Amino acid sequence: MPRRPDRFLLAGGLLILLQLGFRAWALWGSWFYFDDLAFMSRAMNQPFDWAYLTESYGGHLMPAGFALAWVLTKWWVYDWAPWAITLLLLQLVASIGMFRLLVAMFGRRAFVLVLLAGYLAWVFTLPAGTWWAAGINQVPLQIALAFGLTAFLAYLRTKRRRHLLVSLAWVGFGLLFYEKTVVVLGIYGLVALCWFSAGKTPQRLRRLWDEYRLAVVAAAVCGGAYLAVYAAYGLNFSPGETADVPWGPIAWNLVAVAMLPAVAGGPLGWEPITGGAFANPSDVVMLLSWAAVGALVLYAWRSRTISKRAWALVAFTTLGNVALLASARAGVVGPDIAREYRYQTEAAAVVVLAIGLAFLPLRGAREENAVRADAPEGYEDRRLIAAATVVVVALSAVSSVRWVDLWQDRNPTHAYIDDVEASLTAADAPVPLVDAGVPQTLLWSFRYPENTYSHLFEPWAAHMAFPRDTVDDLFVFDDDGELAQVRLDPARAMERPKGADRRCPVPLEGGIVRIPLDGPVIGGGWWIALDYRSPVDTGFRLVAGDEAHEVDVPAGRHTAWFQAAGTFDEVVINSFPDDTGLCVTDLVLGSPEPTPSEPGS
């Protein structure tokens, strides 16, 4: 007879496929955003070497992520589909890993499917799962936690070293993508201390040392070694800065505004930002979610013998998230950053594990989490649990759809890059461009030179030129990615000589012409617009600080453009023929910006 399908595995597989289908829809309408551009810029313009792999990026040490970005960039630069498929496959592995972990912890129970549904449906994993730069950090962490904790539990039950080695290997895998994976070692420690030891805390620590000494030493060595490597290559902020940033508002936003509403299916409401949104639940949603989570914790305490320790996992990772935000993000952008779910993506897995440990006995644990004799009755009816699960999943779906709509609608990058490509490829000759940066809404200027045209638009290099000087035509892209003639935001202008001819204030005569400016110039990135009139083609040499230009300019009325840099207060013109008749009619120094388009054009 044919073997009957395993209904439990089929149900879990179906839930995973439903999540995968939703995530595919979310990714289908997504595109590259912000740090994705920086990753491609680095891959297009840096050699694939140790320095490329180990550069600290916003405090992240992620050699495997950079290696994958390099491969995808070389083959599929600005082609979203392969990048999206990468995220989708990683999430599939993470979801399978979580299902496998839950079964390894609690066995084949119907409640395991409830826990799996929570992990798959909650919004915690959605922002990182649809933004490549965030997902390539955070999804491998989930994979490392799921598969690594499964192996570590096998070690705790059997004390076989191969399981310990596998568990540490999974941590190593995650650390290649994201330094925060080190928290998995802390989760290992909490599980071992709380469920595979016994007695009061000193006794537990002693038993842990006596029975699992190898794991303690191995985890300490691995964790310490990685922190030393991270301090050498990745640490670009001061952990001591956490004392200068109030933790209260960060913790409030992270837990009360974002985490608890998400556990109950929220936040339902969102505050739009350039890409995606911050959690913005209504007061009613927040109060109901606090009450629901509080009731869950209270009921676990009243009905189970050892439920309280389960919440240590949530407390541990949440405290770590608050500390990290205080030291590396909130001091710059404020405590509202804690309302962005990608800073607590792993909460989806950790909260699920905590709920499971609060209500179910952990297989192989030294102490069993049993139902109390005086437990309240009537709250664990299957129909009630199923109804509550359906409500939470449905609310989570609403929250997720609303977030995806904002994410897909408010990302300006795709339209901008499409317009840039169209503008460049339509030109008959290489377009003379200022090597400016893209708008701040696409990539911050502190990522210079990764944000510049020459780096980001390298696939269209044959259609671009970046002259140091040119006549008349000089372009930049406007905020929509359309080519626009340069105009200057004036910083300095020439001082017109007293009594000079209004029609020809500065003639080229006398061998050297000095044009004083109305103030000193310091730094680089400046351009000079020199308006002139000449009866014949003329050559001359112009010096602006540290920049010297040898040019031949055509006869007629034109504007000549020159780069300028250094410290100076005058522009010098020399090496011109006698009696050229060329007259400088105006000279302005400033920052290049696009000339506004005419209304209706």
Side-chain angles (χ1 to χ4, degrees):
M1 292 180 62
R3 187 176 179 181
R4 294 182 62 186
D6 188 319
R7 293 184 179 180
F8 178 81
L9 293 180
L10 283 176
L14 179 60
L15 290 174
I16 291 172
L17 288 177
L18 287 173
Q19 186 219 30
L20 204 66
F22 179 85
R23 195 62 59 86
W25 167 76
L27 284 165
W28 182 260
S30 300
W31 213 67
F32 301 104
Y33 175 67
F34 220 79
D35 297 304
D36 298 336
L37 300 183
F39 288 3
M40 285 189 286
S41 179
R42 295 180 73 251
M44 286 187 284
N45 296 280
Q46 294 184 30
F48 186 81
D49 55 17
W50 183 252
Y52 167 82
L53 292 173
T54 60
E55 178 184 337
S56 176
Y57 186 91
H60 298 314
L61 185 61
M62 44 182 294
F66 282 150
L68 187 55
W70 190 88
V71 171
L72 290 169
T73 299
K74 292 305 176 185
W75 288 94
W76 298 289
V77 63
Y78 293 119
D79 183 358
W80 174 240
W83 299 68
I85 290 170
T86 302
L87 285 182
L88 202 62
L89 290 176
L90 286 172
Q91 185 58 60
L92 174 62
V93 174
S95 299
I96 292 173
M98 275 301 299
F99 187 28
R100 181 170 175 263
L101 172 60
L102 291 170
V103 173
M105 293 177 73
F106 308 118
R108 296 188 172 209
R109 297 169 176 264
F111 195 63
V112 163
L113 297 176
V114 172
L115 296 173
L116 178 64
Y119 169 77
L120 298 173
W122 287 334
V123 298
F124 290 111
T125 64
L126 183 59
T130 49
W131 180 7
W132 199 90
I136 204 60
N137 293 145
Q138 313 244 12
V139 185
L141 187 159
Q142 298 171 55
I143 293 172
L145 172 59
F147 287 92
L149 186 53
T150 301
F152 190 69
L153 285 167
Y155 166 73
L156 293 174
R157 292 163 182 152
T158 66
K159 298 184 181 177
R160 292 177 181 171
R161 294 183 180 182
R162 65 183 179 89
H163 295 306
L164 175 61
L165 289 174
V166 171
S167 71
L168 295 176
W170 278 112
V171 174
F173 163 81
L175 289 173
L176 290 174
F177 291 90
Y178 193 23
E179 67 286 344
K180 192 177 172 182
T181 306
V182 77
V183 303
V184 174
L185 293 175
I187 292 173
Y188 289 177
L190 283 172
V191 170
L193 182 67
C194 295
W195 284 273
F196 288 86
S197 189
K200 295 186 179 297
T201 301
Q203 295 172 309
R204 286 180 179 275
L205 291 171
R206 181 65 184 177
R207 286 191 176 188
L208 197 65
W209 176 253
D210 289 341
E211 298 185 27
Y212 299 106
R213 184 174 306 172
L214 178 62
V216 174
V217 172
V221 170
C222 292
Y226 178 78
L227 291 176
V229 171
Y230 179 74
Y233 290 98
L235 187 63
N236 60 4
F237 59 91
S238 173
E241 293 176 2
T242 57
D244 301 327
V245 178
W247 286 31
I250 299 172
W252 171 264
N253 285 326
L254 190 80
V255 178
V257 179
M259 178 190 287
L260 299 183
V263 172
L268 296 179
W270 298 96
E271 179 183 335
I273 54 178
T274 302
F278 287 159
N280 190 31
S282 66
D283 291 344
V284 172
V285 170
M286 282 198 294
L287 289 173
L288 290 176
S289 68
W290 300 346
V293 175
L296 184 75
V297 173
L298 179 62
Y299 178 71
W301 173 66
R302 286 283 292 111
S303 65
R304 298 302 190 272
T305 55
I306 55 170
S307 71
K308 289 186 294 183
R309 66 190 67 177
W311 312 114
L313 300 177
V314 180
F316 168 69
T317 54
T318 301
L319 184 63
N321 288 331
V322 172
L324 286 172
L325 285 172
S327 63
R329 292 291 186 272
V332 177
V333 296
D336 277 345
I337 194 68
R339 293 192 284 134
E340 191 167 0
Y341 283 105
R342 65 187 176 92
Y343 292 109
Q344 54 174 322
T345 301
E346 76 288 343
V350 174
V351 174
V352 156
L353 297 181
I355 294 174
L357 290 167
F359 284 95
L360 300 175
L362 177 61
R363 295 172 63 192
R366 186 179 296 272
E367 296 178 329
E368 182 181 5
N369 186 27
V371 178
R372 294 180 184 273
D374 59 346
E377 297 181 357
Y379 294 98
E380 297 187 34
D381 180 81
R382 288 193 171 211
R383 290 170 296 181
L384 177 62
I385 295 174
T389 303
V390 168
V391 169
V392 170
V393 169
L395 292 175
S396 296
V398 172
S399 297
S400 298
V401 169
R402 289 177 176 176
W403 186 91
V404 171
D405 285 342
L406 292 170
W407 171 256
Q408 294 178 348
D409 292 344
R410 298 180 67 85
N411 183 356
T413 313
H414 198 176
Y416 180 90
I417 296 296
D418 281 351
D419 287 344
V420 166
E421 180 182 11
S423 298
L424 291 175
T425 55
D428 295 330
V431 179
L433 292 165
V434 175
D435 195 11
V438 296
Q440 298 281 338
T441 52
L442 271 65
L443 186 61
W444 284 340
S445 58
F446 78 79
R447 292 306 314 179
Y448 179 87
E450 293 160 12
N451 67 317
T452 58
Y453 299 166
S454 60
H455 281 61
L456 280 173
F457 305 153
E458 197 272 342
W460 309 290
H463 301 278
M464 299 185 295
F466 297 100
R468 295 178 56 249
D469 50 66
T470 187
V471 177
D472 291 333
D473 289 335
L474 184 63
F475 297 93
V476 291
F477 292 99
D478 64 18
D479 288 347
D480 295 322
E482 301 283 351
L483 274 176
Q485 174 67 38
V486 164
R487 72 180 182 91
L488 294 184
D489 180 14
R492 296 287 183 262
M494 75 176 191
E495 290 189 342
R496 295 176 177 267
K498 293 182 179 179
D501 186 341
R502 291 173 54 190
R503 297 180 64 253
C504 183
V506 182
L508 289 197
E509 57 186 19
I512 298 178
V513 174
R514 299 181 182 275
I515 305 177
L517 304 175
D518 59 2
V521 178
I522 300 173
W526 304 108
W527 279 79
I528 288 172
L530 183 147
D531 294 336
Y532 73 89
R533 181 179 70 249
S534 178
V536 296
D537 295 350
T538 301
F540 60 84
R541 182 173 186 266
L542 181 144
V543 180
D546 299 333
E547 296 276 359
H549 304 266
E550 303 277 352
V551 297
D552 293 299
V553 297
R557 291 177 177 270
H558 298 278
T559 299
W561 300 90
F562 303 92
Q563 286 186 354
T567 302
F568 59 100
D569 58 8
E570 65 177 7
V571 174
V572 179
I573 302 177
N574 55 32
S575 300
F576 49 83
D578 294 335
D579 301 324
T580 64
L582 187 148
C583 178
V584 176
T585 57
D586 198 10
L587 185 149
V588 176
L589 176 144
S591 301
E593 58 183 36
T595 299
S597 58
E598 295 294 330
S601 64

